[in-house]
Amino acid sequence: QVQLVESGGGLVQAGGSLRLSCAASGSIFRINAMGWYRQAPGKQREMVATGTSGGSTDYADSVKGRFTISRDNTKNTMYLQMNSLKPEDTAVYYCYVRVLLLTGRESTVWGQGTQVTVSS
């Protein structure tokens, strides 16, 4: 069983910054992949940033140069640093991890979502 707890969302003015956190707990042997998606009202969920255990990252074109995904392996926590925020970044942000469990089975788990609102 793996749980994810997200935090760090909120209301910020355009041009501001926020840092989202996603803490994983449970029977985790290793986090193989992680990432952030977002869903704005009336829109489909879209990939924002992803990362692998090998250190490679990928970003949506709309956030490149503004957002940074990172992780603290000692805390099983990942982060999304969001700078130069724009009103179009307003959405519910979801983290996910793909983990190797202590049982040897792999599992993908999603966070509960955190609201980010950017005012103009």
Side-chain angles (χ1 to χ4, degrees):
Q1 193 83 3
V2 176
Q3 297 83 37
L4 295 182
V5 177
E6 295 186 44
S7 60
L11 173 65
V12 65
Q13 288 189 331
S17 298
L18 283 175
R19 188 177 80 156
L20 305 183
S21 300
C22 179
S25 62
S27 304
I28 299 171
F29 178 75
R30 184 180 64 237
I31 296 178
N32 288 336
M34 60 184 185
W36 294 88
Y37 277 65
R38 68 186 180 187
Q39 188 165 20
K43 295 188 177 181
Q44 289 189 327
R45 189 175 294 194
E46 64 174 357
M47 185 275 287
V48 176
T50 61
T52 68
S53 58
S56 62
T57 57
D58 190 24
Y59 296 91
D61 288 343
S62 59
V63 307
K64 281 180 181 176
R66 300 188 298 123
F67 290 12
T68 303
I69 188 172
S70 63
R71 62 190 284 184
D72 183 336
N73 290 328
T74 65
K75 298 179 180 179
N76 274 345
T77 299
M78 64 175 177
Y79 305 96
L80 185 67
Q81 178 66 43
M82 305 185 293
N83 298 327
S84 303
L85 283 160
K86 304 175 181 180
E88 50 264 43
D89 294 318
T90 295
V92 177
Y93 284 70
Y94 299 91
C95 64
Y96 80 90
V97 292
R98 191 170 75 244
V99 300
L100 181 63
L101 300 172
L102 295 175
T103 60
R105 187 171 62 88
E106 198 171 55
S107 179
T108 299
V109 183
W110 289 85
Q112 81 279 10
T114 186
Q115 176 70 47
V116 171
T117 302
V118 184
S119 63
S120 57

